[in-house]
Amino acid sequence: MNTLGNRLKLTTFGESHGVAIGGILDGCPAGIDLDMDAIQMELNRRKPGQSKLVTQRKEADEVKFLSGIFEGKTTGTSIGFIIENTTQRSNDYEHIKDVFRPSHADYTYQQKYGHRDYRGGGRSSARETANWVVAGAIAKQIIPQIQIHAFTSSVGAIFIDKPYQDLDFSLTESNDVRCPDAASAQKMESLILDIKKQGDTIGGTITCVAQHIPVGLGEPIFNKLQAELAKAMLSINAVKGFEYGAGFCAAQMKGSEHNDAFNANGTTKTNLSGGIQGGISNGMDIYFRVAFKPVATLMQTQEALDTQGNLVEMKGKGRHDACVVPRAVPIVEALTALVLADFYLQR
Amino acid sequence: MNTLGNRLKLTTFGESHGVAIGGILDGCPAGIDLDMDAIQMELNRRKPGQSKLVTQRKEADEVKFLSGIFEGKTTGTSIGFIIENTTQRSNDYEHIKDVFRPSHADYTYQQKYGHRDYRGGGRSSARETANWVVAGAIAKQIIPQIQIHAFTSSVGAIFIDKPYQDLDFSLTESNDVRCPDAASAQKMESLILDIKKQGDTIGGTITCVAQHIPVGLGEPIFNKLQAELAKAMLSINAVKGFEYGAGFCAAQMKGSEHNDAFNANGTTKTNLSGGIQGGISNGMDIYFRVAFKPVATLMQTQEALDTQGNLVEMKGKGRHDACVVPRAVPIVEALTALVLADFYLQR
Amino acid sequence: MNTLGNRLKLTTFGESHGVAIGGILDGCPAGIDLDMDAIQMELNRRKPGQSKLVTQRKEADEVKFLSGIFEGKTTGTSIGFIIENTTQRSNDYEHIKDVFRPSHADYTYQQKYGHRDYRGGGRSSARETANWVVAGAIAKQIIPQIQIHAFTSSVGAIFIDKPYQDLDFSLTESNDVRCPDAASAQKMESLILDIKKQGDTIGGTITCVAQHIPVGLGEPIFNKLQAELAKAMLSINAVKGFEYGAGFCAAQMKGSEHNDAFNANGTTKTNLSGGIQGGISNGMDIYFRVAFKPVATLMQTQEALDTQGNLVEMKGKGRHDACVVPRAVPIVEALTALVLADFYLQR
Amino acid sequence: MNTLGNRLKLTTFGESHGVAIGGILDGCPAGIDLDMDAIQMELNRRKPGQSKLVTQRKEADEVKFLSGIFEGKTTGTSIGFIIENTTQRSNDYEHIKDVFRPSHADYTYQQKYGHRDYRGGGRSSARETANWVVAGAIAKQIIPQIQIHAFTSSVGAIFIDKPYQDLDFSLTESNDVRCPDAASAQKMESLILDIKKQGDTIGGTITCVAQHIPVGLGEPIFNKLQAELAKAMLSINAVKGFEYGAGFCAAQMKGSEHNDAFNANGTTKTNLSGGIQGGISNGMDIYFRVAFKPVATLMQTQEALDTQGNLVEMKGKGRHDACVVPRAVPIVEALTALVLADFYLQR
């Protein structure tokens, strides 16, 4: 229920405004010389307050490892870690104690559990994803030969109009929006700032490319590689869609257009399949695209439902993102790394 | 690896041209008076040879239950079933014994396993989905109050141009393409027949709507309702994408457009969320859309790779679908039923 | 619920008097050249009617493989198999339709499920163990280097009074009771025949020794090697106890007596630990002992409870074992093979 | 691998001399008003240094909950907790850095993982069981109607010579050895102190009785109630055997002696079955007995193996128990509670 993975398992806990969040990564092989700075750097990429585009909540977001690492190297036992919640401003949330915000999880949690930590969304907060980033950063170090590059491919109606092959992934971190195409990035930033000024929010998409994949990752029936990737991506709070390879475009294509002809060495001339055949990686690039809805919390007046069944006016308080996509880039990478490392260890 | 579900588990086996395919459904509650005709009817909807649009392979596709049912009622023990493969024409596949067909699983299976049943795609054949349909038909009877309606929403570039609320689902079975909009259906059929004449294939999409959903199905973190639906759908052989609620369109929307305002009774005025908040059903309709690529086997000459590393010309033989979408409608429903029944039993 | 194992998973189905029993073995590696005679031979060892000591129910007990094997070799996909129930004499059980037999599962099944297949015990019948023997026979072929020797070590108060190191395991099959010590075997057989004449039954123990174990099988916390062995053994219907290494005797020993001193090559001078330290195999012999209660069905008059709450007299009919231990020897071996192969594949 | 349970899952981490140990309890229902003192009291029962009989290592052993509880009540989300290691005296273990102690997990961990935290046994330390006690104390509050009573039933050759029905469980905590029979308790204490003076250790057994069990807990095939109990008990570091009901004695009995005749209300006149039929609870008391080997660390000179393959003399240092049984009583109860609550929630 709070666990992802089969051979490499991440189990997590934590509420947005509790003492700490954290997790246990189980199944990590022994003997990996962990690069702790690389882990913290991934957390910093996800961290609130990192740029003018994102929520100004300030969290130290420092991960503290409690087990499974000895003299800098993994021991093969379960890795426990926590991230303390240092700047809870729970009073920001007193006003939602008895109110269900539209398009949030307040109502469904209340109905399912009867008792919930309403502060900052409690368990439903995207703060949880910091746990995933920690685990994903370790997963990346389990499969160092695989390169995972996620980036913002659209914000609102602004899309990068190039295939990923024409992009220089080293530029992704060069702008706040995490778009490797400079011209698009600038437009996306302007749009987000404009939307923010309106007290509104905006959706977008992230594309992720994984390269240098060994042939044979994935299982043929219910644990297909693409199925586990889809499941992982749809676990991200705001995600509404997933497509890989030619994706939804494939639904408009003919087989003679879509099929990927082989080269003599087993690679393919095109890669509309997205690096997976029959649920199993074929060694070509795996790429997929993930759709994010706009953040539900607005700095505008909206109608909400209170626990007494009254419709009430409310206005967003607290610290929120006008567009979640830039901060979600490291989250997409982290989950991708977890899925790929899981299959890698299952071979 | 060959198992789907947590509380209601389906485990399957079978190759396209082996003795039989089959499965074990574990976790079905005791005391359900199974409607056997309803189960067989679902199988018939998926069956090859049912119309001029689909593959002319003739399979009896009769399910034989071996356990778990006594005097017509489930006993709560595991339900074993098989479907015999009656009309294997394996000689149709001698020509692919040493050849990897483009955009099939031949190459990845060979690389992963070293030894494979090449006849008819073996385990990678969509014949496996008959197992899912059997299990899904039982799952529907576990949750009779929930209505699940899947239908063909596009073939190639032909889309139904109406929201699902304007469709009459009782018409879905009135045409071979399984599209409840008569005008669109006719165009889709023409397109498929045209494509078939070319020896080519075409993709499409299926939309699925689940109604009368209890509030509270789904788990908040990694077993979100949408994540399990996505995983199930991406398990279908030709599926390239999944979106629910507003889906990829949400990525272009503003929060003020996308948020679903509440009614006083907890329902919502709009339902761009697709019936799920925070991974948990809110009682509104769940709806999602699934993209299918065109079938890879063409009745045209294509270049393939042989096991010696030579590129060779090959032409599809055997009996194949020009468009998989009409036959996939009951498969989408079956998997939806399995996921929903699984969560229903977990409550 | 009907599944054993983590990486090598056996899922089963079947009632004693249904159409067939069977299972799916998932996770078997590809490329194993299966010895089908060896599998059938294991089934024959478990089969009813094999000697005058055991139940005279005659079952062909022929396993039929449906998938996962191609040209005699495993393909790495799930292996489906069935064993048909050929000689159901369900009328033998009409008399227990509305009666709960003492120390059987009739009452608990009725309470738990409300609806049960009462014929021959239904799902609770030891007939299920034929499935385990099939899967275990495959598991043995996954780990051919490991030798597994189970044998009857006691019947009633008659014990082999030698350590296993002094026994010749090649003699186990030389007598009907499956005891490698000829003198003890003769006494055990006499006792069983005597008990049978009384219409009574008798318990016993089986000892199992697994040799040539690689170092490192097992997991350190909750999937300790001994814990999984214990779980598997306690799954056998009549089993009441499990001990490994020095077992219950260890509870009376001092540490200075119990500790196993090392040899310079990492082996140990004694092996009171039973080949496992900290949940992980150390390469020494793994040995354990399993206690079986006497069969509950007696050919005597006993008091039973009917579904109306009346105590009624009943006498066992049907075909039963006076001592289940000889036929349980291959079952203990099969489960041991499944557990060890599972850990072997997890390494 | 570090997880116990199906519906109620405990996942743990932590090394004896790391920063902290801890765990995540997943699947606890919402709305339970947790008695925190009761949880801490269970920890105190397991704690080192509590009496002259046990190790004098002093640990505060204060559990700190990090999530899943809000305003004193469970929220249905995962409960994270840690117990800090406050008094690590790791220098006590410098002498075993390069040495494998006899009958410890040093050698098998080194062989399996290549890199291990040798301090205090690292992950193999019984310190881990503090995590289980925390989770078990919560589990007890999930099933408050069930009473679980474990007690020391033997130390060395000193046994309580009464059936459990003649014992007053309220006396278990009245002596340091946790034996409810005062006369036996005194002899056990004397024996332990005597053994301790010799620098030796001694084994023993714990009996556990669970009362007021609902009918229907347990699954019929591989998750039999007794199988899960056995697995849980064999997870405790020093445990060598498990028996329930008549246990190993049943192996010497006749069916006519062993069968439990019914009363008209469905209870049974005797209970040699130990409250379970066909893997499912029948409502009678569940009772079982667990065998503990003597602690391997002696305050005597023993021969050990160093990593260079030399046999070396070593003497135990640090703080150890002469008999682990008194402190294991709350551990047995905790695991029993976890297994029963898990099945309770699965119903």
Side-chain angles (χ1 to χ4, degrees), chain B residues 158-179:
Chain B
I158 303 168
F159 287 79
I160 303 179
D161 56 357
K162 294 173 187 164
Y164 78 81
Q165 291 86 346
D166 295 351
L167 300 173
D168 177 356
F169 298 138
S170 72
L171 300 179
T172 300
E173 293 297 311
S174 68
N175 55 67
D176 290 344
V177 82
R178 294 207 166 87
C179 171

PDB file of all heavy atoms in Angstrom, chain B residues 158-179:
ATOM      1  N   ILE B 158     -10.370   8.782 -37.271  1.00  0.00           N
ATOM      2  CA  ILE B 158     -11.814   8.931 -37.083  1.00  0.00           C
ATOM      3  C   ILE B 158     -12.170   8.833 -35.603  1.00  0.00           C
ATOM      4  O   ILE B 158     -11.980   7.785 -34.969  1.00  0.00           O
ATOM      5  CB  ILE B 158     -12.574   7.848 -37.875  1.00  0.00           C
ATOM      6  CG1 ILE B 158     -12.195   7.951 -39.344  1.00  0.00           C
ATOM      7  CG2 ILE B 158     -14.079   7.984 -37.657  1.00  0.00           C
ATOM      8  CD1 ILE B 158     -12.649   6.789 -40.159  1.00  0.00           C
ATOM      9  N   PHE B 159     -12.641   9.928 -35.068  1.00  0.00           N
ATOM     10  CA  PHE B 159     -12.977  10.003 -33.648  1.00  0.00           C
ATOM     11  C   PHE B 159     -14.478  10.199 -33.467  1.00  0.00           C
ATOM     12  O   PHE B 159     -15.120  10.850 -34.296  1.00  0.00           O
ATOM     13  CB  PHE B 159     -12.276  11.209 -32.997  1.00  0.00           C
ATOM     14  CG  PHE B 159     -10.814  11.038 -32.804  1.00  0.00           C
ATOM     15  CD1 PHE B 159      -9.931  11.199 -33.870  1.00  0.00           C
ATOM     16  CD2 PHE B 159     -10.298  10.707 -31.557  1.00  0.00           C
ATOM     17  CE1 PHE B 159      -8.564  11.036 -33.689  1.00  0.00           C
ATOM     18  CE2 PHE B 159      -8.928  10.555 -31.375  1.00  0.00           C
ATOM     19  CZ  PHE B 159      -8.060  10.715 -32.442  1.00  0.00           C
ATOM     20  N   ILE B 160     -15.017   9.652 -32.393  1.00  0.00           N
ATOM     21  CA  ILE B 160     -16.354  10.087 -31.975  1.00  0.00           C
ATOM     22  C   ILE B 160     -16.216  11.520 -31.501  1.00  0.00           C
ATOM     23  O   ILE B 160     -15.381  11.799 -30.645  1.00  0.00           O
ATOM     24  CB  ILE B 160     -16.890   9.243 -30.796  1.00  0.00           C
ATOM     25  CG1 ILE B 160     -16.924   7.766 -31.149  1.00  0.00           C
ATOM     26  CG2 ILE B 160     -18.260   9.735 -30.374  1.00  0.00           C
ATOM     27  CD1 ILE B 160     -17.428   6.890 -30.002  1.00  0.00           C
ATOM     28  N   ASP B 161     -16.992  12.410 -32.007  1.00  0.00           N
ATOM     29  CA  ASP B 161     -16.833  13.810 -31.613  1.00  0.00           C
ATOM     30  C   ASP B 161     -17.889  14.244 -30.588  1.00  0.00           C
ATOM     31  O   ASP B 161     -18.403  15.353 -30.633  1.00  0.00           O
ATOM     32  CB  ASP B 161     -16.856  14.720 -32.846  1.00  0.00           C
ATOM     33  CG  ASP B 161     -18.120  14.513 -33.665  1.00  0.00           C
ATOM     34  OD1 ASP B 161     -18.924  13.627 -33.299  1.00  0.00           O
ATOM     35  OD2 ASP B 161     -18.308  15.231 -34.674  1.00  0.00           O
ATOM     36  N   LYS B 162     -18.179  13.333 -29.663  1.00  0.00           N
ATOM     37  CA  LYS B 162     -19.150  13.659 -28.600  1.00  0.00           C
ATOM     38  C   LYS B 162     -18.564  13.262 -27.251  1.00  0.00           C
ATOM     39  O   LYS B 162     -17.800  12.298 -27.158  1.00  0.00           O
ATOM     40  CB  LYS B 162     -20.428  12.827 -28.795  1.00  0.00           C
ATOM     41  CG  LYS B 162     -21.228  13.141 -30.021  1.00  0.00           C
ATOM     42  CD  LYS B 162     -22.353  12.127 -30.167  1.00  0.00           C
ATOM     43  CE  LYS B 162     -23.065  12.332 -31.494  1.00  0.00           C
ATOM     44  NZ  LYS B 162     -23.894  11.153 -31.858  1.00  0.00           N
ATOM     45  N   PRO B 163     -18.971  13.962 -26.209  1.00  0.00           N
ATOM     46  CA  PRO B 163     -18.574  13.483 -24.888  1.00  0.00           C
ATOM     47  C   PRO B 163     -19.308  12.168 -24.576  1.00  0.00           C
ATOM     48  O   PRO B 163     -20.379  11.903 -25.123  1.00  0.00           O
ATOM     49  CB  PRO B 163     -19.015  14.601 -23.948  1.00  0.00           C
ATOM     50  CG  PRO B 163     -20.057  15.353 -24.690  1.00  0.00           C
ATOM     51  CD  PRO B 163     -19.751  15.200 -26.148  1.00  0.00           C
ATOM     52  N   TYR B 164     -18.724  11.368 -23.712  1.00  0.00           N
ATOM     53  CA  TYR B 164     -19.327  10.045 -23.456  1.00  0.00           C
ATOM     54  C   TYR B 164     -20.730  10.175 -22.882  1.00  0.00           C
ATOM     55  O   TYR B 164     -21.557   9.275 -23.032  1.00  0.00           O
ATOM     56  CB  TYR B 164     -18.430   9.188 -22.569  1.00  0.00           C
ATOM     57  CG  TYR B 164     -18.462   9.500 -21.094  1.00  0.00           C
ATOM     58  CD1 TYR B 164     -19.490   9.005 -20.272  1.00  0.00           C
ATOM     59  CD2 TYR B 164     -17.471  10.261 -20.497  1.00  0.00           C
ATOM     60  CE1 TYR B 164     -19.517   9.281 -18.921  1.00  0.00           C
ATOM     61  CE2 TYR B 164     -17.491  10.543 -19.139  1.00  0.00           C
ATOM     62  CZ  TYR B 164     -18.518  10.053 -18.348  1.00  0.00           C
ATOM     63  OH  TYR B 164     -18.550  10.316 -17.005  1.00  0.00           O
ATOM     64  N   GLN B 165     -21.008  11.299 -22.225  1.00  0.00           N
ATOM     65  CA  GLN B 165     -22.318  11.481 -21.627  1.00  0.00           C
ATOM     66  C   GLN B 165     -23.436  11.507 -22.679  1.00  0.00           C
ATOM     67  O   GLN B 165     -24.591  11.238 -22.359  1.00  0.00           O
ATOM     68  CB  GLN B 165     -22.372  12.778 -20.803  1.00  0.00           C
ATOM     69  CG  GLN B 165     -21.538  12.753 -19.523  1.00  0.00           C
ATOM     70  CD  GLN B 165     -20.080  13.140 -19.741  1.00  0.00           C
ATOM     71  OE1 GLN B 165     -19.594  13.186 -20.870  1.00  0.00           O
ATOM     72  NE2 GLN B 165     -19.368  13.405 -18.648  1.00  0.00           N
ATOM     73  N   ASP B 166     -23.053  11.802 -23.916  1.00  0.00           N
ATOM     74  CA  ASP B 166     -24.059  11.865 -24.986  1.00  0.00           C
ATOM     75  C   ASP B 166     -24.215  10.546 -25.729  1.00  0.00           C
ATOM     76  O   ASP B 166     -24.960  10.483 -26.709  1.00  0.00           O
ATOM     77  CB  ASP B 166     -23.679  12.961 -25.996  1.00  0.00           C
ATOM     78  CG  ASP B 166     -23.724  14.344 -25.374  1.00  0.00           C
ATOM     79  OD1 ASP B 166     -24.211  14.464 -24.226  1.00  0.00           O
ATOM     80  OD2 ASP B 166     -23.253  15.292 -26.016  1.00  0.00           O
ATOM     81  N   LEU B 167     -23.524   9.522 -25.279  1.00  0.00           N
ATOM     82  CA  LEU B 167     -23.585   8.227 -25.972  1.00  0.00           C
ATOM     83  C   LEU B 167     -24.554   7.277 -25.284  1.00  0.00           C
ATOM     84  O   LEU B 167     -24.765   7.355 -24.067  1.00  0.00           O
ATOM     85  CB  LEU B 167     -22.195   7.595 -26.023  1.00  0.00           C
ATOM     86  CG  LEU B 167     -21.128   8.409 -26.751  1.00  0.00           C
ATOM     87  CD1 LEU B 167     -19.767   7.759 -26.597  1.00  0.00           C
ATOM     88  CD2 LEU B 167     -21.488   8.549 -28.234  1.00  0.00           C
ATOM     89  N   ASP B 168     -25.097   6.368 -26.080  1.00  0.00           N
ATOM     90  CA  ASP B 168     -25.973   5.324 -25.556  1.00  0.00           C
ATOM     91  C   ASP B 168     -25.189   4.010 -25.585  1.00  0.00           C
ATOM     92  O   ASP B 168     -25.027   3.390 -26.628  1.00  0.00           O
ATOM     93  CB  ASP B 168     -27.218   5.217 -26.437  1.00  0.00           C
ATOM     94  CG  ASP B 168     -28.143   4.092 -25.995  1.00  0.00           C
ATOM     95  OD1 ASP B 168     -27.786   3.342 -25.043  1.00  0.00           O
ATOM     96  OD2 ASP B 168     -29.214   3.953 -26.607  1.00  0.00           O
ATOM     97  N   PHE B 169     -24.687   3.620 -24.415  1.00  0.00           N
ATOM     98  CA  PHE B 169     -23.792   2.471 -24.359  1.00  0.00           C
ATOM     99  C   PHE B 169     -24.475   1.178 -24.826  1.00  0.00           C
ATOM    100  O   PHE B 169     -23.802   0.216 -25.177  1.00  0.00           O
ATOM    101  CB  PHE B 169     -23.233   2.277 -22.951  1.00  0.00           C
ATOM    102  CG  PHE B 169     -22.404   3.419 -22.471  1.00  0.00           C
ATOM    103  CD1 PHE B 169     -22.517   3.895 -21.165  1.00  0.00           C
ATOM    104  CD2 PHE B 169     -21.480   4.038 -23.319  1.00  0.00           C
ATOM    105  CE1 PHE B 169     -21.740   4.952 -20.719  1.00  0.00           C
ATOM    106  CE2 PHE B 169     -20.694   5.102 -22.866  1.00  0.00           C
ATOM    107  CZ  PHE B 169     -20.824   5.563 -21.566  1.00  0.00           C
ATOM    108  N   SER B 170     -25.788   1.169 -24.810  1.00  0.00           N
ATOM    109  CA  SER B 170     -26.471  -0.057 -25.233  1.00  0.00           C
ATOM    110  C   SER B 170     -26.276  -0.313 -26.716  1.00  0.00           C
ATOM    111  O   SER B 170     -26.571  -1.393 -27.219  1.00  0.00           O
ATOM    112  CB  SER B 170     -27.962   0.024 -24.896  1.00  0.00           C
ATOM    113  OG  SER B 170     -28.591   0.933 -25.769  1.00  0.00           O
ATOM    114  N   LEU B 171     -25.736   0.694 -27.432  1.00  0.00           N
ATOM    115  CA  LEU B 171     -25.506   0.517 -28.863  1.00  0.00           C
ATOM    116  C   LEU B 171     -24.108  -0.017 -29.191  1.00  0.00           C
ATOM    117  O   LEU B 171     -23.807  -0.317 -30.345  1.00  0.00           O
ATOM    118  CB  LEU B 171     -25.719   1.849 -29.593  1.00  0.00           C
ATOM    119  CG  LEU B 171     -27.124   2.454 -29.461  1.00  0.00           C
ATOM    120  CD1 LEU B 171     -27.205   3.788 -30.196  1.00  0.00           C
ATOM    121  CD2 LEU B 171     -28.178   1.477 -30.006  1.00  0.00           C
ATOM    122  N   THR B 172     -23.266  -0.113 -28.195  1.00  0.00           N
ATOM    123  CA  THR B 172     -21.879  -0.515 -28.462  1.00  0.00           C
ATOM    124  C   THR B 172     -21.810  -1.829 -29.225  1.00  0.00           C
ATOM    125  O   THR B 172     -21.030  -1.988 -30.163  1.00  0.00           O
ATOM    126  CB  THR B 172     -21.095  -0.620 -27.137  1.00  0.00           C
ATOM    127  OG1 THR B 172     -21.108   0.654 -26.494  1.00  0.00           O
ATOM    128  CG2 THR B 172     -19.658  -1.058 -27.374  1.00  0.00           C
ATOM    129  N   GLU B 173     -22.650  -2.787 -28.805  1.00  0.00           N
ATOM    130  CA  GLU B 173     -22.580  -4.107 -29.440  1.00  0.00           C
ATOM    131  C   GLU B 173     -23.395  -4.177 -30.738  1.00  0.00           C
ATOM    132  O   GLU B 173     -23.485  -5.240 -31.349  1.00  0.00           O
ATOM    133  CB  GLU B 173     -23.073  -5.175 -28.471  1.00  0.00           C
ATOM    134  CG  GLU B 173     -22.179  -5.378 -27.267  1.00  0.00           C
ATOM    135  CD  GLU B 173     -20.775  -5.868 -27.629  1.00  0.00           C
ATOM    136  OE1 GLU B 173     -20.676  -6.844 -28.407  1.00  0.00           O
ATOM    137  OE2 GLU B 173     -19.787  -5.270 -27.150  1.00  0.00           O
ATOM    138  N   SER B 174     -23.957  -3.052 -31.151  1.00  0.00           N
ATOM    139  CA  SER B 174     -24.813  -3.100 -32.337  1.00  0.00           C
ATOM    140  C   SER B 174     -24.033  -3.056 -33.639  1.00  0.00           C
ATOM    141  O   SER B 174     -24.605  -3.185 -34.709  1.00  0.00           O
ATOM    142  CB  SER B 174     -25.821  -1.941 -32.290  1.00  0.00           C
ATOM    143  OG  SER B 174     -25.138  -0.711 -32.440  1.00  0.00           O
ATOM    144  N   ASN B 175     -22.741  -2.836 -33.560  1.00  0.00           N
ATOM    145  CA  ASN B 175     -21.944  -2.874 -34.793  1.00  0.00           C
ATOM    146  C   ASN B 175     -20.625  -3.592 -34.527  1.00  0.00           C
ATOM    147  O   ASN B 175     -20.204  -3.746 -33.367  1.00  0.00           O
ATOM    148  CB  ASN B 175     -21.728  -1.457 -35.337  1.00  0.00           C
ATOM    149  CG  ASN B 175     -21.093  -0.537 -34.299  1.00  0.00           C
ATOM    150  OD1 ASN B 175     -19.937  -0.721 -33.901  1.00  0.00           O
ATOM    151  ND2 ASN B 175     -21.875   0.436 -33.824  1.00  0.00           N
ATOM    152  N   ASP B 176     -19.953  -4.009 -35.585  1.00  0.00           N
ATOM    153  CA  ASP B 176     -18.767  -4.848 -35.441  1.00  0.00           C
ATOM    154  C   ASP B 176     -17.586  -4.108 -34.822  1.00  0.00           C
ATOM    155  O   ASP B 176     -16.679  -4.719 -34.270  1.00  0.00           O
ATOM    156  CB  ASP B 176     -18.344  -5.402 -36.810  1.00  0.00           C
ATOM    157  CG  ASP B 176     -19.338  -6.437 -37.323  1.00  0.00           C
ATOM    158  OD1 ASP B 176     -20.142  -6.930 -36.522  1.00  0.00           O
ATOM    159  OD2 ASP B 176     -19.290  -6.748 -38.535  1.00  0.00           O
ATOM    160  N   VAL B 177     -17.606  -2.806 -34.927  1.00  0.00           N
ATOM    161  CA  VAL B 177     -16.447  -2.047 -34.459  1.00  0.00           C
ATOM    162  C   VAL B 177     -16.567  -1.671 -32.976  1.00  0.00           C
ATOM    163  O   VAL B 177     -15.623  -1.218 -32.369  1.00  0.00           O
ATOM    164  CB  VAL B 177     -16.244  -0.809 -35.377  1.00  0.00           C
ATOM    165  CG1 VAL B 177     -17.167   0.322 -34.966  1.00  0.00           C
ATOM    166  CG2 VAL B 177     -14.792  -0.360 -35.413  1.00  0.00           C
ATOM    167  N   ARG B 178     -17.744  -1.927 -32.432  1.00  0.00           N
ATOM    168  CA  ARG B 178     -18.034  -1.625 -31.016  1.00  0.00           C
ATOM    169  C   ARG B 178     -17.918  -0.140 -30.705  1.00  0.00           C
ATOM    170  O   ARG B 178     -17.269   0.270 -29.735  1.00  0.00           O
ATOM    171  CB  ARG B 178     -17.147  -2.442 -30.074  1.00  0.00           C
ATOM    172  CG  ARG B 178     -17.435  -3.927 -30.140  1.00  0.00           C
ATOM    173  CD  ARG B 178     -17.123  -4.701 -28.897  1.00  0.00           C
ATOM    174  NE  ARG B 178     -17.747  -6.007 -28.973  1.00  0.00           N
ATOM    175  CZ  ARG B 178     -17.192  -7.082 -29.553  1.00  0.00           C
ATOM    176  NH1 ARG B 178     -15.983  -7.022 -30.057  1.00  0.00           N
ATOM    177  NH2 ARG B 178     -17.844  -8.225 -29.600  1.00  0.00           N
ATOM    178  N   CYS B 179     -18.578   0.640 -31.530  1.00  0.00           N
ATOM    179  CA  CYS B 179     -18.630   2.083 -31.325  1.00  0.00           C
ATOM    180  C   CYS B 179     -20.089   2.478 -31.154  1.00  0.00           C
ATOM    181  O   CYS B 179     -20.906   2.222 -32.043  1.00  0.00           O
ATOM    182  CB  CYS B 179     -18.015   2.795 -32.524  1.00  0.00           C
ATOM    183  SG  CYS B 179     -18.262   4.563 -32.464  1.00  0.00           S
TER     184      CYS B 179
END
